[in-house]
Amino acid sequence: MDRVALRGLKARGHHGVFPREREEGQTFIVDLVLGLDTRPAAADDDLAKTVHYGVVAEEVVAVVEGEPVDLIETLAERIAGICLKHDGVQEVEVVVHKPDAPITVPFDDVTVTITRRRA
């Protein structure tokens, strides 16, 4: 299976379990790896035969900016579902970064990584 990756998609969302996270929001960063067969697109040089990663990026940002959830696990699941709706995408790895998580000790990043496959 071939891979198309989008790294570092940034959007502001209001996800989290604490009132401050919901009220003020914070930046979330999303990395995606889409699994699909790119041979038909390459053979015909045809965008319609692959995934349009620009559209996927816009949809992912809309999810992050959309309805708040408590957990980034839930956010990752929603993002995976959006990606798998695209024809040809057979699997997706989603990494949601929450670099401003409310943690009381020094840290660089918090991430949740999930992999989902088309049924």
Side-chain angles (χ1 to χ4, degrees), residues 8-30:
L9 296 171
K10 293 180 184 173
R12 189 159 188 84
H14 294 265
H15 312 289
V17 296
F18 298 113
R20 182 173 167 221
E21 294 178 291
R22 291 294 183 103
E23 293 166 9
E24 296 177 14
Q26 60 192 289
T27 299
F28 293 85
I29 302 166
V30 177

Side-chain angles (χ1 to χ4, degrees), residues 2-55:
D2 303 320
R3 304 276 184 246
V4 174
L6 290 94
R7 307 247 189 242
L9 296 171
K10 293 180 184 173
R12 189 159 188 84
H14 294 265
H15 312 289
V17 296
F18 298 113
R20 182 173 167 221
E21 294 178 291
R22 291 294 183 103
E23 293 166 9
E24 296 177 14
Q26 60 192 289
T27 299
F28 293 85
I29 302 166
V30 177
D31 300 326
L32 302 173
V33 179
L34 307 170
L36 65 153
D37 184 357
T38 64
R39 288 175 294 190
D44 294 337
D45 198 27
D46 186 352
L47 177 60
K49 294 182 178 180
T50 189
V51 64
H52 191 310
Y53 50 79
V55 170

